[in-house]
Amino acid sequence: MTDTTSQQDDIAVEFNTAEPAAWSPATWFAVLSMAATSFALVSAEFLPAGLLTPMARDLGISEGTAGQVVTATASIGAVTALLSNVLIGRLNRKTVLVGLSALAIGSNILAALATDFWFLLLGRAGLGIALSGFWALSVAVVARLVGANATGRGMAVVTLGVSLATIAAPSVGALITDWLGWRPAMAMTAGLAALAMLLQVLSLPTLPASTGNSLADVFRLTGRRGVQLGMLAILLLMTGHFAGSVYVRPFLENVTLLQTWPIAMALLGFGIASVIGNIAGGRVADLNIRMALAITAALMAFAALALVLWGVHIGAAFGFVTLWGFAFGMAPVVLPTNLSRGASDALEAAGSLMVVSFQVAISIGAVLGGYIVDHYGAVGPLTLTSALAASTVALALTQPRN
């Protein structure tokens, strides 16, 4: 990656299927700093899942109330996603990313030192801002670092941090909490953010913004058919995933009749497969984004439906949970890359719409999944996952070819 390329803004990025140039060591260092940032931020986001009980006990609140720290992070992220690229104006994007990491450090320290629930929420709100700002900028920054025709590969490296954090944060957080308490566990996420910030300072090239974004610019993109299809794909596939994936454990308990240890192994298989899917998603997305989306959705649809049909058998349950994990690993790479193809001249504004779409999908999926499992049992949410993923396949095939 040349210095000239790294300093270009995302005014006009042309996507093509030409073979991407080999990355220089400097480019690898910069992309890995973005991956480290995603790992640090997502680790902090999912950490409460492993320490809710001691945190609730220490603050004198219920576990249900303590669980709202995750909701606060997501809610603030959804609200600020639309505004993040507007508020940063013409600031150098490297400065913004370093600043977001600094905000994550302060937020995690505040949460670790919180003496009551409201201070804890304040710290988590700051983390939500850092998360939404980082992801809103991620595709645009990666495209400038590696080139437009390697965006999928670059995002695969960045989102690898997400897959690793999703696997590690709850379990490692629980272990550290047992050894040292929940506050040191929370403080360690500040250390991860500090390391990520140091890597950003050392590795990212200067990333000047030649233009600022307005809220009107962001909303104007929603009039483009490519952006509409990209947002709809996120809403369909991620609503389906989050409606069903939360209830995979109840399904394995009530339908496959597994005990705790085999369930943990099945979920570990899901996590490992998601890492592999993440890498595969980057390769396929750069070759043919339309086909990449269709494959991702088809694999998820088949895995969920196969669990409903044959999940009573232990071997089938393990296999199809793993396949679901592979498809989910592809999704965080394929879906943003797919949306960006409809807004190659406005990647930062498209990033805001991408973050909002993900957050809305998570919220809708949680509501629908909860309602369906209460009324129809553990099989119901998985059926919805299959139906919405199958709809995404149909949507992918209606998109223009590369």
Side-chain angles (χ1 to χ4, degrees):
M1 200 68 196
T2 64
D3 292 338
T4 302
T5 305
S6 68
Q7 293 179 8
Q8 292 173 347
D9 198 17
D10 59 340
I11 300 302
V13 179
E14 183 176 351
F15 292 90
N16 55 67
T17 56
E19 184 66 23
W23 294 358
S24 69
T27 299
W28 270 109
F29 193 15
V31 174
L32 289 174
S33 78
M34 295 285 287
T37 306
S38 75
F39 178 79
L41 293 174
V42 176
S43 292
E45 181 180 17
F46 287 103
L47 183 68
L51 45 83
L52 276 184
T53 300
M55 184 168 62
R57 186 187 307 118
D58 186 39
L59 295 177
I61 56 179
S62 69
E63 291 186 14
T65 301
Q68 297 311 305
V69 299
V70 177
T71 304
T73 306
S75 300
I76 293 295
V79 172
T80 57
L82 282 175
L83 300 176
S84 58
N85 285 327
V86 176
L87 296 176
I88 62 176
R90 299 172 65 92
L91 289 175
N92 188 293
R93 279 14 183 183
K94 177 178 179 177
T95 302
V96 174
L97 288 171
V98 171
L100 291 172
S101 293
L103 176 60
I105 295 170
S107 298
N108 290 327
I109 291 175
L110 180 60
L113 297 176
T115 55
D116 59 49
F117 178 64
W118 296 109
F119 273 103
L120 180 63
L121 276 187
L122 182 61
R124 299 297 293 184
L127 177 64
I129 295 172
L131 275 161
S132 64
F134 173 78
W135 288 118
L137 285 172
S138 60
V139 176
V141 169
V142 167
R144 294 171 67 180
L145 292 174
V146 304
N149 60 341
T151 302
R153 182 184 173 196
M155 286 302 297
V157 177
V158 174
T159 56
L160 183 61
V162 177
S163 298
L164 295 175
T166 303
I167 297 170
S171 56
V172 174
L175 289 174
I176 295 174
T177 299
D178 287 343
W179 296 335
L180 303 173
W182 72 271
R183 294 183 187 277
M186 190 75 74
M188 286 182 183
T189 60
L192 291 176
L195 177 60
M197 185 175 72
L198 176 62
L199 292 176
Q200 290 173 341
V201 171
L202 295 176
S203 68
L204 288 178
T206 182
L207 298 166
S210 60
T211 61
N213 297 308
S214 69
L215 198 56
D217 293 331
V218 176
F219 283 115
R220 193 175 296 117
L221 285 182
T222 60
R224 299 185 184 184
R225 183 170 181 267
V227 173
Q228 293 169 352
L229 293 175
M231 293 178 67
L232 184 56
I234 293 173
L235 290 172
L236 287 174
L237 193 61
M238 288 296 94
T239 295
H241 170 75
F242 285 103
S245 63
V246 176
Y247 303 102
V248 167
R249 176 166 182 166
F251 178 90
L252 295 175
E253 289 175 337
N254 299 321
V255 177
T256 317
L257 302 180
L258 295 181
Q259 300 300 314
T260 301
W261 177 249
I263 290 174
M265 291 299 97
L267 296 179
L268 177 61
F270 180 101
I272 294 173
S274 72
V275 174
I276 300 172
N278 186 272
I279 297 170
R283 294 291 185 178
V284 180
D286 285 333
L287 293 175
N288 188 322
I289 189 59
R290 179 173 176 265
M291 189 56 60
L293 178 59
I295 291 172
T296 302
L299 290 176
M300 189 178 294
F302 176 72
L305 180 60
L307 278 171
V308 171
L309 296 177
W310 303 298
V312 66
H313 304 290
I314 295 176
F318 269 78
F320 295 127
V321 166
T322 301
L323 181 62
W324 190 339
F326 182 85
F328 175 63
M330 293 181 69
V333 182
V334 171
L335 290 171
T337 305
N338 179 61
L339 176 59
S340 69
R341 300 299 169 110
S344 59
D345 59 334
L347 292 181
E348 290 185 1
S352 294
L353 295 176
M354 179 267 291
V355 174
V356 172
S357 298
F358 267 97
Q359 297 292 355
V360 170
I362 292 171
S363 300
I364 295 175
V367 172
L368 286 178
Y371 175 84
I372 292 173
V373 78
D374 286 343
H375 290 79
Y376 302 100
V379 170
L382 274 63
T383 304
L384 177 63
T385 299
S386 182
L388 291 179
S391 299
T392 311
V393 176
L395 178 68
L397 297 178
T398 67
Q399 294 188 162
R401 295 181 181 274
N402 281 9

